[in-house]
Short mmCIF file of all heavy atoms in Angstrom, two decimals:
data_model
loop_
_atom_site.label_atom_id
_atom_site.label_comp_id
_atom_site.label_asym_id
_atom_site.label_seq_id
_atom_site.Cartn_x
_atom_site.Cartn_y
_atom_site.Cartn_z
N GLN E 3 1.24 4.65 1.02
CA GLN E 3 0.79 5.49 2.10
C GLN E 3 0.39 6.96 1.62
O GLN E 3 -0.58 7.46 1.86
CB GLN E 3 1.73 5.58 3.21
CG GLN E 3 1.18 6.07 4.46
CD GLN E 3 0.17 5.10 5.10
OE1 GLN E 3 0.18 3.88 4.85
NE2 GLN E 3 -0.73 5.52 5.97
N VAL E 7 -3.19 8.88 2.04
CA VAL E 7 -3.39 10.18 2.88
C VAL E 7 -3.90 11.27 2.05
O VAL E 7 -4.90 11.91 2.48
CB VAL E 7 -1.93 10.48 3.52
CG1 VAL E 7 -2.02 11.83 4.07
CG2 VAL E 7 -1.52 9.48 4.49
N ALA E 20 -19.04 20.19 0.28
CA ALA E 20 -20.45 19.83 0.00
C ALA E 20 -21.42 20.08 1.17
O ALA E 20 -22.55 20.60 0.97
CB ALA E 20 -20.60 18.31 -0.41
N LEU E 23 -22.08 23.78 1.44
CA LEU E 23 -23.02 24.29 0.53
C LEU E 23 -24.48 23.75 0.82
O LEU E 23 -25.44 24.61 0.65
CB LEU E 23 -22.54 23.97 -0.81
CG LEU E 23 -23.45 24.49 -2.05
CD1 LEU E 23 -23.25 26.02 -2.09
CD2 LEU E 23 -22.97 23.97 -3.45
N PHE E 29 -32.34 28.79 0.56
CA PHE E 29 -33.75 28.54 0.13
C PHE E 29 -34.77 29.42 0.89
O PHE E 29 -35.64 29.96 0.22
CB PHE E 29 -34.12 27.11 0.29
CG PHE E 29 -33.58 26.21 -0.71
CD1 PHE E 29 -32.83 25.09 -0.40
CD2 PHE E 29 -33.80 26.42 -2.08
CE1 PHE E 29 -32.29 24.25 -1.38
CE2 PHE E 29 -33.30 25.56 -2.98
CZ PHE E 29 -32.60 24.50 -2.67
N PRO E 39 -19.46 29.77 -3.55
CA PRO E 39 -20.09 28.86 -4.52
C PRO E 39 -19.13 27.66 -4.86
O PRO E 39 -19.56 26.78 -5.56
CB PRO E 39 -20.30 29.67 -5.72
CG PRO E 39 -19.27 30.72 -5.64
CD PRO E 39 -19.08 30.99 -4.15
N VAL E 53 -10.76 7.61 -5.58
CA VAL E 53 -9.92 6.94 -6.64
C VAL E 53 -8.49 6.98 -6.24
O VAL E 53 -7.80 5.87 -6.39
CB VAL E 53 -10.11 7.62 -8.05
CG1 VAL E 53 -9.10 7.04 -9.03
CG2 VAL E 53 -11.52 7.43 -8.55
N GLN E 58 -4.57 3.86 -5.88
CA GLN E 58 -3.11 4.15 -5.50
C GLN E 58 -2.18 4.21 -6.77
O GLN E 58 -1.09 3.65 -6.81
CB GLN E 58 -2.66 3.02 -4.56
CG GLN E 58 -3.39 3.03 -3.28
CD GLN E 58 -2.99 1.95 -2.38
OE1 GLN E 58 -2.11 1.14 -2.52
NE2 GLN E 58 -3.67 1.84 -1.26
N ILE E 76 -19.05 14.28 -13.31
CA ILE E 76 -19.61 15.57 -13.98
C ILE E 76 -21.16 15.64 -13.44
O ILE E 76 -21.53 16.71 -13.21
CB ILE E 76 -19.50 15.46 -15.42
CG1 ILE E 76 -17.99 15.65 -15.85
CG2 ILE E 76 -20.36 16.46 -16.14
CD1 ILE E 76 -17.75 15.29 -17.28
N GLN E 78 -22.52 14.44 -10.82
CA GLN E 78 -22.52 14.77 -9.40
C GLN E 78 -22.30 16.23 -9.15
O GLN E 78 -23.00 16.98 -8.38
CB GLN E 78 -21.44 14.09 -8.63
CG GLN E 78 -21.63 12.57 -8.40
CD GLN E 78 -20.44 11.98 -7.82
OE1 GLN E 78 -19.87 12.65 -6.86
NE2 GLN E 78 -20.07 10.82 -8.07
N ARG E 89 -29.15 32.07 -6.78
CA ARG E 89 -29.67 31.02 -7.55
C ARG E 89 -29.43 31.09 -9.05
O ARG E 89 -29.55 32.12 -9.70
CB ARG E 89 -31.22 30.97 -7.41
CG ARG E 89 -31.68 30.67 -6.04
CD ARG E 89 -31.90 29.15 -6.02
NE ARG E 89 -31.85 28.78 -4.47
CZ ARG E 89 -30.87 28.16 -3.92
NH1 ARG E 89 -29.88 27.88 -4.65
NH2 ARG E 89 -30.96 27.92 -2.71
N ILE E 90 -28.91 29.98 -9.58
CA ILE E 90 -28.79 29.88 -11.09
C ILE E 90 -30.16 29.64 -11.69
O ILE E 90 -30.49 30.26 -12.74
CB ILE E 90 -27.87 28.71 -11.44
CG1 ILE E 90 -26.39 28.99 -10.94
CG2 ILE E 90 -27.83 28.39 -12.91
CD1 ILE E 90 -25.47 27.93 -11.01
N SER E 107 -34.43 21.65 -11.29
CA SER E 107 -33.62 21.55 -10.10
C SER E 107 -33.68 20.17 -9.35
O SER E 107 -32.72 19.66 -8.98
CB SER E 107 -33.90 22.66 -9.00
OG SER E 107 -33.64 23.81 -9.59
N LEU E 112 -31.63 14.91 -7.89
CA LEU E 112 -31.77 13.48 -7.93
C LEU E 112 -30.73 12.72 -8.87
O LEU E 112 -30.22 11.64 -8.48
CB LEU E 112 -33.12 13.04 -8.30
CG LEU E 112 -34.18 13.47 -7.34
CD1 LEU E 112 -35.62 13.16 -7.81
CD2 LEU E 112 -34.06 12.84 -6.00
N VAL E 123 -20.01 3.00 -5.98
CA VAL E 123 -20.10 1.53 -6.03
C VAL E 123 -19.18 0.99 -7.11
O VAL E 123 -18.33 0.07 -6.92
CB VAL E 123 -21.53 1.07 -6.23
CG1 VAL E 123 -21.58 -0.47 -6.60
CG2 VAL E 123 -22.35 1.34 -5.05
#
Side-chain angles (χ1 to χ4, degrees):
Q3 197 70 19
V7 170
L23 184 64
F29 281 124
V53 171
Q58 300 175 3
I76 292 169
Q78 289 177 37
R89 295 268 161 254
I90 291 173
S107 294
L112 292 175
V123 168

